């Protein structure tokens, strides 16, 4: 078993764990991003890993500051850790897919219950970001 297969085999359950915790408690335990970060050390490339960490985590940090805390620290740490594993390209794609999934759900809420209901509906972000991670894993596997 290669280090990449081991990394993926451990990453998927960690993303699921983050999703379940975020759905239940609206918090992601610090152990999840830490474990994902440590997984990044299995296939470590200094520039690739740190560029992914910054490209994936920094936008969430900026939005958290500008939005008055509508994005939590767990989401920032989760995306930074995933960026450390995936690198800048796939980390950004994970964000785009995950946020696209959120947008689809918010749009369906808006059509069903009205724009104001969608605007004030708080959604846990980790399940969508994790789904984006799943799409990225499939894309990376198919690109090989």
């Amino acid at each position: 078993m290669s280090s990449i297969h081991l990394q993926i085999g451990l990453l998927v359950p960690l993303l699921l764990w983050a999703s379940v915790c975020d759905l239940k408690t609206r918090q992601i335990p610090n152990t999840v991003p830490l474990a994902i970060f440590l997984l990044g050390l299995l296939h470590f490339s200094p520039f690739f890993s740190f560029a992914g960490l910054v490209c994936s985590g920094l936008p969430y940090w900026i939005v958290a500051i500008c939005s008055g805390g509508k994005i939590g620290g767990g989401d920032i740490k989760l995306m930074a850790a995933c960026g450390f594993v995936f690198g800048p390209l796939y980390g950004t794609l994970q964000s785009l897919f995950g946020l696209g999934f959120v947008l689809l759900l918010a749009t369906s809420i808006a059509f069903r219950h009205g724009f104001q209901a969608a605007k004030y509906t708080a959604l846990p972000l980790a399940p969508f970001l994790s789904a984006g991670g799943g799409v990225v894993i499939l894309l990376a596997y198919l690109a090989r």
Side-chain angles (χ1 to χ4, degrees):
M1 178 182 269
S2 73
S3 65
I4 294 194
H5 289 105
L6 177 64
Q7 198 174 34
I8 291 170
L10 294 172
L11 180 62
V12 170
L14 287 169
L15 290 174
L16 288 173
W17 182 23
S19 298
V20 169
C21 289
D22 201 18
L23 284 168
K24 284 185 175 182
T25 66
R26 298 293 172 114
Q27 292 187 347
I28 302 168
N30 288 332
T31 52
V32 177
L34 177 62
I36 292 171
F37 180 82
L38 293 174
L39 278 178
L41 297 176
L42 289 175
H43 195 71
F44 179 70
S45 168
F47 176 76
F48 178 80
S49 297
F50 287 110
L53 184 142
V54 171
C55 288
S56 297
L58 186 62
Y60 288 88
W61 181 69
I62 292 169
V63 169
I65 291 171
C66 295
S67 71
K70 289 191 178 189
I71 291 182
D75 298 319
I76 299 166
K77 290 180 275 189
L78 178 67
M79 284 309 300
C82 287
F84 188 78
V85 172
F86 289 138
L89 174 63
Y90 285 126
T92 302
L93 283 175
Q94 178 186 10
S95 279
L96 292 175
F97 280 112
L99 295 174
F101 295 144
V102 171
L103 184 60
L104 287 174
L105 181 61
T107 302
S108 68
I109 292 170
F111 279 126
R112 184 174 172 117
H113 300 287
F115 176 74
Q116 290 300 319
K119 183 177 176 181
Y120 293 107
T121 300
L123 297 171
L125 208 49
F128 300 100
L129 297 175
S130 297
V135 172
V136 164
I137 289 169
L138 289 174
L139 287 175
Y141 184 76
L142 293 174
R144 297 182 116 221

